[in-house]
Amino acid sequence: MSEALAPDRIRAEQPVSIRAEASLVDPDSCKFTVSCSVHPGGSFFFADRERAAGSPLGERLFALGGVASVLIAGNVVTTGKAPDASWTGLKAAIGSVIRAQLLSGMPAILETVAPGGTLARSDAELGAAVQELLDREVNRSIASHGGKISLVEVQGGRLFITMSGGCQGCASSQVTLREGFEVMVKRVAPEITAIVDATDHAAGKQPFYPRAGSMPG
């Protein structure tokens, strides 16, 4: 049976709707069709939480109790649940996570990964890895929201960034943007110990990127 989840908007002129449709063949599978693209770069299947590590939407869906698998393809997110879990409440929670990911402007799936090996990288090398991430994935996505994240420098393993355009002083998507970007940075540059927002936000807020256990920015 198909049911429409409460609509929201990415921007005032772009209403977003999500329709949940339970499988008639597999009671533990439900397809969520979104009115806009979730990830345009092909299909990605995550069979468990470990395989979703580093991909923002996958990680957030598996953080919900009961989610067992995730398939993301274009504007469709097919989610499998554990046999003992109930779709009651879970459908709405999955819809909320998908919507929050879209509102953040961050890519749903991170395709850039950290290189193998154990050699320590210099600040310059870490900065190059982060800049490639910004150029290839992050800024392409948030440009549609009028936003941009710029690399200032990497110093002693600490990443300093600024936010401009729609991201500067933005309150509504600040949390999801932070969570999504940090997940991506950890994926390509796990050596980064802290992310510091050096933006001069109009509200005069303190940097909101210090990681848990790190020194304040």
Side-chain angles (χ1 to χ4, degrees), residues 9-15:
R9 294 171 180 270
I10 293 182
R11 300 177 69 178
E13 68 274 22
Q14 296 179 335

Side-chain angles (χ1 to χ4, degrees), residues 10 99-108 137-145 173 176-177:
I10 293 182
R99 184 170 291 114
Q101 184 66 47
L102 292 171
L103 286 168
S104 76
M106 304 300 292
E137 301 192 45
V138 175
N139 283 329
R140 286 184 180 181
S141 293
I142 63 177
S144 62
H145 296 246
S173 62
T176 51
L177 182 64

Side-chain angles (χ1 to χ4, degrees), residues 29-105:
S29 178
C30 186
K31 181 172 69 174
F32 295 81
T33 303
V34 188
S35 61
C36 60
S37 176
V38 177
H39 182 74
S43 301
F44 286 82
F45 178 67
F46 303 113
D48 52 43
R49 183 190 296 264
E50 287 69 30
R51 287 178 174 82
S55 290
L57 180 56
E59 285 197 351
R60 297 177 74 177
L61 288 173
F62 277 105
L64 299 174
V67 171
S69 66
V70 175
L71 170 63
I72 301 173
N75 68 321
V76 177
V77 179
T78 303
T79 305
K81 70 173 182 64
D84 59 346
S86 171
W87 285 120
T88 303
L90 186 56
K91 285 183 182 179
I94 291 172
S96 294
V97 166
I98 296 172
R99 184 170 291 114
Q101 184 66 47
L102 292 171
L103 286 168
S104 76

